[in-house]
């Protein structure tokens, strides 16, 4: 089949890499893509938020499957436009994507489905904000109700900072703090059948030791040697299947990738948030471990036939991703800096380590930075220790002026395993 992937980040590069290795994929396109994706897919310009333009491009290319990567096009209804044109599309409808587009909507769905989550208040006035902050106390968890590219959440002991963030949002969800480690678990669904992937853990803070501001994610690893072996089964039974069933009951079936951000608390598993698409950078490590060819799974989701897909198979290898970010990220980043060393990684570290591009573009013969998160260096190994060593060895070859990366991705988990 011919596949068109929409988006231009490291998540889309990971998807394109996996699809390019799938023998069922006869042609691979990406719009708009980036400098790295251009090595495995044919790039096309498109406004990713314009459903009609995406559907038109898919038709012109003869795509048999469209995969919508980022959340903003899904919340804008791009998947609906593609399906209306008669083309299978992996990704939820505009209505179902509100599971990520609105924290308040997600809380309502979870309440109806009896899904365990943090107690919360939805606030629109300064008075409601003050009442909620006072009710929960520190540490304060304040979430912008809408999309914020992974940076709309503030967790702080500083009441003034929490209040300032809340007041800057049109509508805000304030909730109790959940203790315990966090886990990301993806599931592919067609609205009825739910197929869980392997869990991963990502690192949201900018600096080592979970210091610094929240980011879109600075690294990830999988598997989780410290997690309960029954975790996936438990989350399937208490979170993923009930949520999918509730959305179908409401007449807004969710088809695509359901991402549960979880806290493993002293009182059990609790949902922190849902996303309506593959997470970045967790996708990079999860797909590195997936043995099953990807295209047929995504097509079955799009076509409502996921029940015929055999169980997914996984490599025993561990995977680690380290994000290289621009100077000043997560504040407005400096861009246009040349990136060197990519050829060295390809020559010396492949196939165990490779670079997935996020914010890059080509200028003549050079590849330069074009965003906050610039590259995701991903490596596999027999265990997390070896995967970490390979990832950081590859990171050391890359030169980008003023760049930053965390040095402790998967460190504790590797030491514990």
């Amino acid at each position: 089949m011919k596949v068109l992937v929409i988006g231009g980040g490291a998540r889309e590069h990971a998807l394109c890499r996996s699809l390019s290795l799938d023998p069922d994929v006869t042609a691979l396109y990406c719009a708009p893509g980036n400098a790295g994706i251009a090595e495995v897919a044919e790039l096309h310009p498109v406004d990713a938020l314009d459903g009609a333009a995406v559907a038109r491009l898919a038709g012109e290319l003869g795509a048999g499957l469209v995969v919508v990567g980022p959340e903003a096009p899904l919340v804008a209804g791009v998947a609906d436009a593609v399906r209306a044109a008669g083309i299978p599309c992996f990704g939820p409808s505009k209505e179902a994507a509100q599971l990520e587009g609105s924290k308040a909507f997600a809380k309502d769905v979870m309440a109806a489905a009896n899904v365990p989550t943090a107690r919360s208040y939805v606030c629109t006035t300064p008075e409601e904000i003050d009442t909620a902050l006072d009710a929960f106390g520190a540490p304060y968890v304040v979430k912008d109700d809408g999309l914020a590219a992974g940076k709309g959440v503030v967790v702080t002991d500083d009441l003034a900072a929490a209040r300032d963030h809340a007041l800057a949002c049109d509508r805000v969800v304030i909730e109790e703090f959940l203790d315990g480690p966090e886990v990301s678990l993806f599931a592919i669904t067609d609205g009825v059948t739910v197929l869980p992937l392997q869990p991963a853990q990502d690192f949201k803070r900018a600096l080592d030791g979970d210091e610094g501001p929240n980011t879109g994610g600075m690294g990830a690893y999988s598997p989780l040697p410290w997690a309960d072996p029954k975790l996936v089964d438990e989350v399937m039974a208490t979170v993923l299947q009930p949520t999918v069933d509730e959305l179908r009951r409401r007449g807004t079936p969710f088809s695509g990738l359901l991402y549960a951000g979880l806290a493993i608390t002293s009182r059990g598993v609790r949902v922190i948030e849902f996303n309506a698409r593959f997470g970045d950078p967790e996708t990079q490590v999860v797909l590195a471990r997936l043995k099953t060819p990807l295209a047929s799974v995504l097509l079955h989701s799009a076509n409502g036939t996921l029940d015929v897909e055999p169980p997914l198979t996984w490599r025993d290898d561990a995977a680690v991703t380290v994000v290289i970010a621009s100077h000043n990220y997560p504040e407005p980043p400096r861009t246009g800096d040349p990136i060197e060393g990519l050829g060295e990684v390809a020559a010396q570290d492949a196939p165990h380590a490779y670079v997935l591009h996020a914010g890059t573009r080509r200028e003549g013969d050079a590849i330069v930075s074009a965003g906050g998160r610039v590259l995701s260096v991903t490596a596999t190994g027999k265990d997390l220790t070896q995967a970490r060593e390979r990832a950081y060895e590859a990171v050391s070859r890359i030169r980008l002026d003023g760049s930053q990366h965390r040095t402790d991705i998967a460190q504790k988990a590797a030491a514990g395993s």
Side-chain angles (χ1 to χ4, degrees):
M1 80 182 94
K2 296 179 178 181
V3 182
L4 168 62
V5 176
I6 302 301
R11 163 187 46 230
E12 288 75 37
H13 194 174
L15 287 164
C16 285
R17 180 181 182 273
S18 290
L19 290 165
S20 73
L21 298 172
D22 188 331
D24 286 342
V25 177
T26 54
L28 182 59
Y29 311 102
C30 187
N34 62 39
I37 295 174
E39 296 175 14
V40 295
E42 183 179 298
L43 302 191
H44 291 267
V46 80
D47 176 355
L49 297 177
D50 185 339
V54 171
R56 191 163 54 248
L57 175 62
E60 290 167 359
L61 295 172
L65 174 66
V66 174
V67 179
V68 182
E71 59 272 26
L74 292 168
V75 172
V78 167
D80 302 89
V82 173
R83 278 191 279 269
I87 301 168
C89 185
F90 180 81
S93 67
K94 179 177 181 175
E95 286 189 30
Q98 284 302 303
L99 201 61
E100 175 168 7
S102 168
K103 304 287 190 299
F105 175 78
K107 287 289 188 184
D108 187 60
V109 170
M110 283 188 271
N114 203 25
V115 168
T117 187
R119 292 178 299 122
S120 63
Y121 292 98
V122 179
C123 307
T124 56
T125 68
E127 293 75 23
E128 288 174 345
I129 288 166
D130 289 338
T131 299
L133 291 171
D134 184 55
F136 288 130
Y140 304 101
V141 181
V142 183
K143 299 180 175 181
D144 190 332
D145 180 54
L147 292 181
K151 290 172 281 188
V153 180
V154 165
V155 181
T156 180
D157 289 321
D158 185 334
L159 176 59
R163 191 170 190 274
D164 287 348
H165 182 66
L167 290 170
C169 305
D170 288 336
R171 186 158 79 149
V172 67
V173 174
I174 296 172
E175 62 184 40
E176 67 175 327
F177 176 76
L178 297 175
D179 63 340
E182 295 185 13
V183 173
S184 300
L185 184 61
F186 302 163
I188 292 171
T189 178
D190 60 3
V192 178
T193 302
V194 181
L195 210 57
L197 306 187
Q198 290 288 305
Q201 186 174 60
D202 78 331
F203 294 74
K204 285 290 187 202
R205 299 285 186 173
L207 306 175
D208 285 6
D210 289 330
E211 300 290 333
N214 249 5
T215 71
M218 295 298 289
Y221 69 93
S222 179
L224 311 181
W226 49 267
D228 186 330
K230 297 176 185 163
L231 175 65
V232 173
D233 290 341
E234 180 187 346
V235 175
M236 269 290 291
T238 63
V239 175
L240 297 170
Q241 192 71 58
T243 300
V244 168
D245 291 345
E246 172 61 20
L247 285 165
R248 188 177 66 254
R249 187 190 68 76
R250 291 175 177 225
T252 56
F254 188 105
S255 166
L257 194 291
L258 178 57
Y259 164 138
L262 309 163
I264 314 300
T265 77
S266 53
R267 293 170 293 134
V269 174
R270 297 288 186 272
V271 175
I272 300 169
E273 65 176 355
F274 282 125
N275 291 332
R277 40 72 196 181
F278 279 102
D280 182 345
E282 301 98 318
T283 301
Q284 289 87 302
V285 291
V286 172
L287 292 185
R289 300 186 58 225
L290 180 64
K291 220 174 183 177
T292 300
L294 185 61
S296 70
V297 186
L298 303 186
L299 186 62
H300 280 310
S301 166
N303 286 337
T305 52
L306 203 55
D307 59 325
V308 306
E309 178 70 35
L312 300 178
T313 56
W314 298 90
R315 297 182 179 89
D316 292 333
D317 286 359
V320 171
T321 287
V322 179
V323 171
I324 297 177
S326 289
H327 176 74
N328 204 42
Y329 179 76
E331 296 302 315
R334 190 176 79 201
T335 60
D337 290 311
I339 302 165
E340 298 176 335
L342 297 172
E344 294 170 37
V345 175
Q348 299 182 53
D349 300 298
H352 301 299
Y354 48 89
V355 180
L356 298 168
H357 291 230
T360 68
R361 68 172 182 269
R362 183 172 285 281
E363 286 188 357
D365 291 335
I367 293 177
V368 302
S369 61
R373 291 187 294 173
V374 181
L375 303 169
S376 283
V377 179
T378 301
T380 56
K382 67 179 189 295
D383 54 25
L384 287 174
T385 298
Q386 187 178 53
R388 283 191 84 246
E389 288 169 355
R390 287 171 169 173
Y392 281 108
E393 179 75 18
V395 167
S396 72
R397 303 190 202 281
I398 293 170
R399 297 174 294 283
L400 171 61
D401 186 51
S403 68
Q404 54 176 315
H405 66 271
R406 284 184 58 158
T407 65
D408 63 347
I409 303 300
Q411 189 172 42
K412 285 183 183 172
S417 63

